[in-house]
Amino acid sequence: MNSPPPDPRYHLAPDEPTLQSILAAYAVVAAFPLLLWVISNPLVGAVTVLTTVTLITGARRAVALVRCFYECQGFTVDLGGKVRITVAQP
């Protein structure tokens, strides 16, 4: 059974752009020249990407460590299971 054609007056309007969609579009536009640069210089690009990922990961862990220090007033780090370093406020 066939359904009738949709009413031509009824059309789906595009969603209003959100801040996240606008920022995502700008990120894609900015990433395109970066991608071309990485393709033309693969070694330097790989080192740059690895350095960026390492810095982001280190910054996240540092923020978590500072937050833990302010909440607990100290923290403990195990080094290889043999040495334990405890940092606490007196």
Side-chain angles (χ1 to χ4, degrees):
M1 176 177 243
N2 293 336
S3 62
D7 187 7
R9 293 174 295 185
Y10 178 75
H11 59 87
L12 295 174
D15 293 334
E16 292 293 321
T18 62
L19 181 61
Q20 288 179 337
S21 65
I22 292 171
L23 291 177
Y26 279 124
V28 169
V29 169
F32 187 71
L34 183 64
L35 178 65
L36 291 176
W37 178 74
V38 169
I39 289 172
S40 64
N41 299 315
L43 184 61
V44 176
V47 169
T48 304
V49 169
L50 183 63
T51 303
T52 304
V53 169
T54 303
L55 287 174
I56 290 172
T57 304
R60 283 184 172 182
R61 290 187 183 210
V63 167
L65 192 62
V66 168
R67 185 180 307 129
C68 178
F69 186 70
Y70 282 123
E71 288 177 5
C72 304
Q73 302 299 317
F75 59 91
T76 302
V77 179
D78 288 329
L79 299 177
K82 295 182 180 181
V83 177
R84 180 175 288 166
I85 300 173
T86 302
V87 178
Q89 291 184 355

